Structures are given as C-alpha cells and as structure tokens.
Amino acid sequence: MLKEMRSLARETVVYGLSTVLGRLLNFLLTPLFTHLLSPSDNGVIATTYAYVAFLTVVFGLGLDTAYLRLGRKEGKADPRAFSTAFWAVAGASVFFAALITAAAEGLAPFVDAPASVLRCAAWILALDAVASLPFAELRGAQRASAYASIRLTGLALNLVLCWFFVARMGLGVTGVFLANLMASSLSLALLIPVLLRRVTGGPEAALLRPMLAFALPLIPAGLASIAVNVVDRPILGLYYDSAVVGVYSASYKLGILMMLVVTMFDQAWKPFFLQRAGQPGLDALMARVLTYFTAGAAWVFLAVALLAAPAVTAPLFAGRPLIHPLFWGGLSIVPIVTFGYLLAGLYYVMLAPLMIAGRTGGVAVATACGAAVNLLSLLLLVPRWGMLGAACATAAAYGAMALAVFVQGRRAHPVPYEWGRVAVVAAPR
C-alpha cells in the first residue's frame, strides 16, 4: 500500500504542475488589482467574471466532453466528429456573443458593469469556447506538454497585458477584460495547427445529434457546479455595493494554497483509482487515501489560518504589503474559505466509489445538493453577516456535496473509511 500511496503522491505533482503554475499566474493578478484598482472596481471584475463562468458552460454546449467520449475511438480522432463539434460550438458562440454585444448597453445597469466590459466578456467567451475543442483534442491525444504550454502562454500574456493596460495606460476595469480578450485570441491562434489537421469539412447532423444528446444533459450539472463556486459574488452584490464584493473576492483568493493542494490531488486521483478499479485491496487503499489526505489538508488549513493575515499585511515587497490595506477588512474569511476547499477535497476523495460503481448520476445529485445549500445559505446569511456569511455558505455547500457523495457511495460501493483515525490525524498538535 505504501508503494501505491507514493505513486499517487508522484502523480499528484506531475498532473497538477501545469494547473498549479496557471493558478499561480492568475493569483498574481490579485495583488496587482488591489494596488491599482479600487475595491469597487475589483467588485465589478469579480461579479462580471462570475457571470462569465456561468455562460462558459452554455457557450461550449458541453461538446468538448462529448467529443472526447464519442469522437475518439481507441485513441484515434474522427475528423468528421471533430469538424461537426467545432462548427456547432463556433456557430453557437458567435451567435451568443453577437446577442450580448448588441444588448450590452441595456444589460450594463443590471450587471453593474460598463457596456465595454460586457462586449469584451462576450467575445472572450466565444474565443474560449471555440478553443475548447482543439484543447480537448490535445488532451485526448495525450499531448500534455502542448496543452500546458499554450494554457500557460495565454495566462502569462494576460498577466503582462493587465499590468500594461491598467498600470501604464490607465484603462481600469476595461483594460482587464481587454487583456483577457487579447490573451484568449493568442491561445486560439496557437491552436490553429490543431484545427488545420482536424477540421476537414462541415457539420454532419447524423454525428451532431448523438453528441448533443450526450452533452446537453451535462449543462445543468455544470451550471450547478459553477453556482457553488461563483454565485456568492452576484448575491453579495445584491445586498452590498461593489466595493464589498471587491474586498470579498480579493480575500477569497487568499485560500489559494488549499485550492492548489485540492486541484493537484484531483488531477491525479481520478485516473489513479479508475486505472485500479476491480483490483484487490482497492477499498482499503481508498480508505487510507482519505485518512492521509485529511491529515495533510488539516496541516495546510492550520498554516493558512495562522499565517495568511500576517503574510499579506507585512510590508515585505519594497515596503508594501502583498494586499493593499483597503482590502484587509476581508481577511477574516480566509480560514473559512480554506476550510471550504478542504471539504471540497473530501468530496473528490469520496467520489471514487460512485465512479467505480458507474453511478455518475450521483455526481449530479451531489452537485445539485451543493448548489441548493449554497443558494439558501447565501440568502439567509449574507443579509446578516455580509462577507462572512457568503464564505460560510460556500463552505456549507462543499460540506453538503461531500456528505451527499458519502451517503450515495455507501449504497453503491461501501468503503471502510477510517473515521476514528481521521478524527485523530485531522487535529494537528
């Protein structure tokens, strides 16, 4: 078992490295924005990107996943299936983006964002949706280095352009989205060789129908999953001004250490247990993984809870703190956010029995439970507790998802989790 645990740890690092680098590059925008933009401007950015996250699911139609499932057979791509999925996504994305562009002036007061930002966001969504198919092809072809390099190049350009447009040109919030638009354009341009190899004709209805039948049911589950992660920003904005949302969003991102641990682990965990399905001793191994993950995550939680505030307020960067003092009012939520990510990690660990048993519908049930708990908790807690209530609501949602997969997993494929040992190792001394 020790050998298997070492293998999982090694795969966690390998699979998660590009994701971690990407998240770190994105995190660097947080101190940049807190020092160059007001809390209100940061609130506009956070709220707009929350809406972008929801619409990403709609723009892509779920066809990147459908292509991986139905368009690649025995490791080989079907150019007809790729072309069909690509043109469907491209057509839908351009149509949706054109609608938002035309309606930007009317939507701006409701979204509390400038019309110029909404127009940029619309075409960011379209470009990213079109790029999702060639990115899916790179994943399916196991070209991890090409996939990661293009992703990281786009993120790095976004970081540089954000600094240039905001710090040098003074474009404010519009500059942030203009930088993203240009970075998304570059990413799609770098994917042109993949498109030239795979787009060989027009869409075929006979191929599109089964892919849509597979993909469209994934959209509600995807929306529910996104809701757990980002709906707190728009709801917080309903009760408070955009400055509060900006402070909340900046502080929320300080839970990045636990988020990185959970993301890296999830990248490795799914292929790890799926490849070992049916092997003897897997149930005991899954139980031990939960124990070890909880122990490690508990220490990360303790470190963040104790050190996050001193680390971001100390004048360590040319006499300046990492986060501008205007945003320190949200630091109290960081331990709660970190604990929420810990619960998300438990959810990912306990997904394994459902996946092995083929009960993927249970994943949708768990996600729906999380979204419902999140929405109800936000409506109850945010009016009373503000930012603290929003953070508690998200943590409660992850807890509900973890509980839901545990209960369903016991029915589908019982695993002898070491709850007594978990309770002991989860309490660092």
Side-chain angles (χ1 to χ4, degrees), residues 63-76:
L63 285 176
D64 55 339
T65 304
Y67 168 71
L68 287 174
R69 175 65 179 84
L70 304 174
R72 294 186 60 86
K73 303 295 184 182
E74 298 179 355
K76 295 182 179 180

Side-chain angles (χ1 to χ4, degrees), residues 262-274:
V262 171
T263 301
M264 289 177 65
F265 174 80
D266 182 51
Q267 292 281 322
W269 176 232
K270 285 179 182 175
F272 181 87
F273 71 75
L274 288 173

Side-chain angles (χ1 to χ4, degrees), residues 158-427:
N158 187 33
L159 176 63
V160 172
L161 290 178
C162 275
W163 172 82
F164 179 73
F165 289 143
V166 176
R168 292 297 184 185
M169 298 190 65
L171 296 180
V173 174
T174 300
V176 173
F177 286 85
L178 182 60
N180 194 339
L181 180 62
M182 295 181 69
S184 294
S185 300
L186 174 64
S187 295
L188 183 58
L190 294 174
L191 290 165
I192 287 177
V194 179
L195 295 175
L196 292 177
R197 287 195 302 270
R198 291 290 179 252
V199 178
T200 57
E204 299 183 29
L207 295 175
L208 182 60
R209 281 193 293 269
M211 283 196 284
L212 286 176
F214 178 89
L216 293 181
L218 298 176
I219 292 179
L223 290 173
S225 179
I226 293 295
V228 172
N229 290 287
V230 301
V231 76
D232 49 351
R233 278 75 162 180
I235 290 182
L236 191 62
L238 292 176
Y239 295 97
Y240 302 91
D241 59 25
S242 56
V244 173
V245 180
V247 172
Y248 173 81
S249 180
S251 300
Y252 199 99
K253 292 177 182 177
L254 295 176
I256 187 172
L257 181 58
M258 183 67 82
M259 178 190 68
L260 293 178
V261 169
V262 171
T263 301
M264 289 177 65
F265 174 80
D266 182 51
Q267 292 281 322
W269 176 232
K270 285 179 182 175
F272 181 87
F273 71 75
L274 288 173
Q275 291 170 7
R276 291 162 176 79
Q279 294 182 7
L282 179 60
D283 289 355
L285 179 61
M286 289 192 293
R288 187 57 55 85
V289 166
L290 179 69
T291 303
Y292 286 177
F293 173 84
T294 306
W299 281 104
V300 173
F301 167 75
L302 186 63
V304 174
L306 293 177
L307 301 177
V312 301
T313 57
L316 301 177
F317 302 92
R320 291 185 175 186
L322 180 66
I323 300 296
H324 193 279
L326 287 174
F327 294 82
W328 291 356
L331 292 178
S332 60
I333 74 168
V334 176
I336 300 171
V337 171
T338 306
F339 183 67
Y341 281 128
L342 188 156
L343 293 175
L346 298 183
Y347 163 78
Y348 289 127
V349 175
M350 293 187 291
L351 270 180
L354 285 176
M355 300 291 285
I356 290 172
R359 304 283 183 87
T360 53
V363 180
V365 171
T367 307
C369 287
V373 168
N374 195 23
L375 182 59
L376 181 60
S377 299
L378 285 166
L379 295 175
L380 290 174
L381 299 179
V382 166
R384 299 179 182 180
W385 297 349
M387 290 185 288
L388 189 64
C392 289
T394 304
Y398 285 128
M401 292 168 62
L403 180 60
V405 294
F406 169 68
V407 171
Q408 294 179 93
R410 284 181 60 186
R411 298 170 183 168
H413 185 101
V415 173
Y417 293 120
E418 305 167 323
W419 293 116
R421 196 172 182 183
V422 166
V424 173
V425 300

